[in-house]
Amino acid sequence: MERTKVTNLIKSDHPIENVWVKGWVRTKRDAKSFSFIELNDGSCLKNIQIIVDETIDNYDAVKKITTGAALAVRGKLVESKGGGQQWEIQASQVDVISLAPDTFPLQKKRHSDEFLRSIAHLRPRTNKYGAVFRIRSELSFGVHQFFRQRGFRYIQTPIITGSDCEGAGELFRVTTLNPSMPTPPAGKFDFANDFFGTESNLTVSGQLSAEMFALALGDVYTFGPTFRAENSNTSRHVAEFWMIEPEMAFCDLTGNMELGETLVKHLIQFTMDHCSQDMELFARFVDKQLMPTLDNIVSSDFERLPYKDAVDILQKAKVSFSYPIEYGLDLQSEHERYLTEKHLKKPIIIYDYPKTIKPFYMRLNDDEQTVAAMDILVPRIGEIIGGSQREERLDVLERQMETAGLSKDSYWWYLDSRRYGTVPHSGFGMGFERMLMLVTGVTNIRDVIPFPRTPGTIDF
């Protein structure tokens, strides 16, 4: 007999004579002649209640069942006589697949997020984290659906790369060289003897590779893991994270901003439409303002604001910020949240940043002081998307690379794309975990990724 998922049982519109369900015990309570078992199989937030009568053959074994045990239960789905659920299962057979000892750490009480991070291999069995990762799964599908509906092609860009897209230098080196081997007199590794014959790293972005395919296939996107060796222990940073990166040929900055706004709204609405039960948990127990915040984003026209105007607003704000506000400095999270939550009270797209604080590939504006860059800021999160129109003019791009101190020989293939049929094109990156933080109200990025990688932590 085929196993029935709990999510299908609780949605049933009629009793079922014979069901077969498998899952893990959340709680168990024994009465004089029967036992109540709350069983969850991970398919949804709700448990299914199992009623086990003492007349069952192995009732002595049932009485030994503990929280965390894995069971297979056969029985009838009937209307529940108790409150809190519409249906319950009257068990005719209970097979104990495995028991969990009394030391099982997830007992019926609220555990702190800090504690659950220390047992990340077990935390998906809790209500909160089961809900987080079901939403993560659904939202991943929503990403692919969005781009497929708009004719984008999905490509897979390299995880191992010889390029530093951001130019920040915070890269994880990939090498087969023995770290204890002596270095040449210059004190550097001789990468000629390494696997690739040159220095290689884990990627911080698939953008440069995606540009090559946009200049062949038109509209493309990549969605995969990226890595940054930033020694940060804040609630916004992990060393391994996922990025959604579309790249569009024949698209300027305006078109780029429009797509970014549409994507943010689509993913929020998709989550509300497909994950309502799980989102209700976060709206009740994590962030009471979650749904009003999301409704505001979906219903708003995102404000377009030049970087210079944003700096002026922040300098005039009667707020004591921790970080300085000055033209030519990057905006910090506190500045972004002030603009979205206090000043305009809706999402904002800031554009035309000073070229001195942006990477070499962004298109230089006519003033030759700013670039056609944009960041999308949303309440509670701050920046959720960062992107730009790319510099398609070969001579300008070469000049930008020289200013940044980058070797044109190392980027020969990237420059080739500007020699052969170059066109205006643009794209952006969306942090997938930041989108998950937005739709759940979770405030720490480590709690929306299955096994967070942070400085000094790689246990799982």
Side-chain angles (χ1 to χ4, degrees), residues 275-336:
C275 307
S276 57
Q277 184 186 112
D278 285 325
M279 289 187 72
E280 183 181 348
L281 178 146
F282 296 102
R284 290 181 60 195
F285 300 110
V286 176
D287 182 356
K288 301 288 187 184
Q289 293 302 308
L290 177 62
M291 299 316 296
T293 298
L294 297 180
D295 287 336
N296 175 48
I297 295 173
V298 170
S299 62
S300 293
D301 292 326
F302 292 13
E303 185 80 15
R304 266 71 163 168
L305 193 66
Y307 166 86
K308 181 180 182 300
D309 293 352
V311 170
D312 288 343
I313 291 169
L314 291 166
Q315 288 178 332
K316 293 174 183 176
K318 296 179 180 179
V319 176
S320 178
F321 293 113
S322 299
Y323 291 89
I325 303 295
E326 185 179 325
Y327 186 89
L329 296 180
D330 260 326
L331 301 185
Q332 302 297 319
S333 177
E334 61 174 343
H335 308 143
E336 296 166 348

Side-chain angles (χ1 to χ4, degrees), residues 219 247-260 304 351-352 363 365 372-374 387-392 423-428:
D219 295 338
E247 199 72 30
M248 299 148 287
F250 310 104
C251 181
D252 61 11
L253 184 65
T254 299
N256 201 29
M257 291 191 286
E258 289 172 354
L259 185 78
R304 266 71 163 168
Y351 64 95
D352 286 353
R363 195 182 198 279
N365 289 327
M374 67 93 179
S388 70
Q389 184 174 338
R390 316 310 188 187
E391 183 55 77
E392 84 279 10
V423 300
H425 59 289
S426 64
F428 60 77

Side-chain angles (χ1 to χ4, degrees), residues 115-226:
F115 169 71
L116 292 172
R117 284 179 213 132
S118 73
I119 52 168
H121 59 306
L122 296 176
R123 66 178 181 170
R125 298 197 201 180
T126 64
N127 287 340
K128 177 180 178 179
Y129 287 94
V132 165
F133 297 122
R134 279 189 296 271
I135 290 175
R136 186 179 177 110
S137 173
E138 287 296 314
L139 200 55
S140 298
F141 177 79
V143 169
H144 292 295
Q145 181 194 69
F146 174 86
F147 289 111
R148 183 175 178 82
Q149 289 174 344
R150 288 160 177 80
F152 281 68
R153 298 298 181 181
Y154 175 42
I155 62 170
Q156 295 79 37
T157 53
I159 290 176
I160 301 175
T161 178
S163 304
D164 180 3
C165 178
E166 301 297 331
E170 296 163 335
L171 304 170
F172 286 102
R173 180 177 295 167
V174 176
T175 181
T176 57
L177 295 176
N178 185 339
S180 63
M181 67 186 294
T183 57
K188 296 182 179 181
F189 278 112
D190 183 4
F191 288 105
N193 295 319
D194 208 348
F195 186 88
F196 294 107
T198 187
E199 183 176 357
S200 55
N201 308 285
L202 295 181
T203 185
V204 299
S205 170
Q207 176 205 312
L208 302 188
S209 300
E211 283 187 58
M212 303 304 101
F213 275 78
L215 295 174
L217 304 182
D219 295 338
V220 301
Y221 74 103
T222 181
F223 179 20
T226 54

